[in-house]
Amino acid sequence: MDFNKIEKKWQKVWEKEGIYKIRGNQKKFYVLDMFPYPSGEGLHVGHPRGYIATDVIARYKMMQNYSVLHPMGWDAFGLPAENYALKNKIHPRIAVQKNIKRFKDQLGKFGFTYDWSKEINTTDPEYYKWTQWIFLKLFENGLVYESNEPIIWCPSCKTGLALEDLEDGKCERCGSEVEKKPLRQWVLKMTAYAEKLLKDLDGLDWPEPIKEQQRNWIGKSEGTVVKFEIQNSKFEIPVFTTRLDTIFGCTYLVVAPEHDIISNLKSQISNFAEVEKYINEAKKKSDLQRTDLAKEKTGVELKGIKALNPFNNEEAPVFVADYVLGHYGTGAVMAVPAHDERDWEFAKKYDLPIKEVVIPNRIDKKNPPVNGKETKERKNVHAIVRNPQNNKFLCLKSKKFHWITFPMGGIEENEGVVEAARREVEEETGYKNLKLIKILGGEVRAEYFAKHKDENRAAYTTCVLFDLIDEEKSPVEKEWEDSHELMWIDEKNLNYDTLCHAEMDDWVKRLNGEGAFTEDGALVNSGATTK
C-alpha cells in the first residue's frame, strides 16, 4: 500500500472541503501550539513531539462536535532568524520566507488539523500592528512603564540575549562571555493583575503542581518596605520584608551587585576595587546560578558605609552578594540570620552576629494540652550532657510514665540558665563535674500536658550543652532515684521518637550546628511568638 499516495490524495480532499475550518454554529474549542522559529533548515524532532499531542486533542474535540480553532504561525522576529541570516549571508526577510515555506511543507505532510486560513506571521505588518495597538492601550492605562532592568548582554554583538541564546554561558553567535547589564526598556506592570491571576488559577482544571508553579511565577508577597538610612549620607536602602516583627534581629544588609547604592557611594567605599571585581564576576552568572540554594553564599562588605536600623538605630554592615537579584523586590534584603537559613549560612561564613528575636511555638504531639486543665507558664532549662569518651548522651527514664528525657526543670528566681542546668543535672543524676560547651540558641515555647502535675504547661525552654568531665557524683534523693533510672543513648537516637520533648528537633538542629529556625519553624509557624 502506497501511503504517500493515499495521504496526498486525502489531504487535498480535506483541504478542498475545509474540514479543519472553524464552524460558527457549534460549541467552540481553542487549541494553541507554540509557534516555531523559522530559523533553521527545517523542523526538528521536538516540534512534532508537541504538535502530535495537541492534534490528538483537536481531533477528539472535533469528534465531540466542537468547532475547533487550531491555528499555526511563525515566531519570526528576533535573534534566531537574525543569526541564521548572518550565518548564511542572506537578508533576514528572504531567509524567513524561505524557511517558512520549508516548515510549512513539512508540517503539511503530517496532516495536522490546522486551519491555514488563520496562519500568523509575526513579521507581517497586518499582525504586529495589533501588538503595537495593545501596547498603546496598556500605556494609556498605566500598565507599562520605563525601567532599567538587567538583561543578558553580549558586549561583542552589542545585543541582549535570552537564556536560549547561550551555550555554556557564552553567546551562541560569537562565543563571547556575556554579562548582566541594566538596559532602559519598557516593562509590563504584571503586579496590577497579580490578584486576578492567582484567583483565576483556582478555577482551572490543571494539575496542582502546575498551578503551584504559576503561583510561584506570579510571586505575590504581602509585606512592608522599610528604609534603612546610610550613616553620614543622604542615601537610604529600601528593603521589602514579609516579617517586620523580625527587624530587631537584623544584623546586616545585603544588596544586589546591580544596586545603585554602590555607584552612589563609590567615594565612601574604601575597598571599592574589591567590590568592583566581585560585581564583574557576578555579571557573568545567570539568575539561576546566583540563586541556586545549594551554592555557597559569597559576598563582599562595603567597607566605609553603615546602615541604621530605623527601629533601634543600631548600625548594620552592608554587603554586596550575588544571591540577591537587582530586579527582585527592592534589590536589597535585611538579614535576620537567626530566623532565615540563607542569612544564617552567610552570617556563619563571615562571622556576623546572630540575634534571635522570634520564639518558635511547639505543641507536644505525644502529650498535648488537655482541655479543661489549668495551664501554667514557666521558664525551663534542658541540659544535654555528652560523654566525650563514647559520644553518648545522658538521659532519664521514668519508671512511672513512658518518658525518656534530658535532665530538666524550672529556672528559679535570680538563677542563670547555666547555673540552673548544672543544678538540675546534679539533683537528678548526681553528676557534678561538667564542662560548659554552649547554650544552644534562645528559647523555644512548648505546650504540653504534665501528667505528674496533672496540669498543662506552656514552657519557655533554653537548652545548655555540657561535656562530662568525670564520673564523680553527689547523692541523689531516694524518692527521685526510685522513680527514675539513668541511661546513655546514642547520638542517632536524639530525636522526638525517643525523647518526650516537643523541642527535640530544635535542639538537634542546634546541636549539629544548623540554623536556628527555617521556614518550617519560626518564620511560617502560625504560632510563632515574638519577643
Side-chain angles (χ1 to χ4, degrees), residues 486-505:
L486 299 186
M487 59 186 301
W488 292 87
I489 68 173
D490 294 324
E491 185 176 11
K492 65 182 180 180
N493 291 320
L494 286 184
N495 54 58
Y496 183 66
D497 292 333
T498 301
L499 302 172
C500 65
H501 300 149
E503 312 93 322
M504 271 312 302
D505 288 341

Side-chain angles (χ1 to χ4, degrees), residues 441-456:
E443 293 178 331
V444 174
R445 186 178 186 273
E447 297 181 40
Y448 59 95
F449 178 63
K451 295 179 183 178
H452 62 301
K453 298 290 185 179
D454 193 36
E455 65 185 21
N456 293 326

Side-chain angles (χ1 to χ4, degrees), residues 74 76 97 100 138 142 150 160 168 181 192 196 237 239 266 285 393 395 405 413 453 463 466 471 479:
W74 318 105
Q97 290 173 343
I100 285 176
L138 292 171
D168 298 325
K181 179 180 179 179
K196 180 172 174 56
I237 299 176
V239 171
K266 178 179 178 179
K285 300 177 183 178
F393 294 83
C395 291
T405 180
E413 191 175 352
K453 298 290 185 179
C463 191
F466 298 103
E471 297 285 335
E479 182 181 353

Side-chain angles (χ1 to χ4, degrees), residues 497-517:
D497 292 333
T498 301
L499 302 172
C500 65
H501 300 149
E503 312 93 322
M504 271 312 302
D505 288 341
D506 298 274
W507 302 153
V508 171
K509 277 187 176 183
R510 301 179 192 195
L511 188 64
N512 292 333
E514 298 177 22
F517 311 115

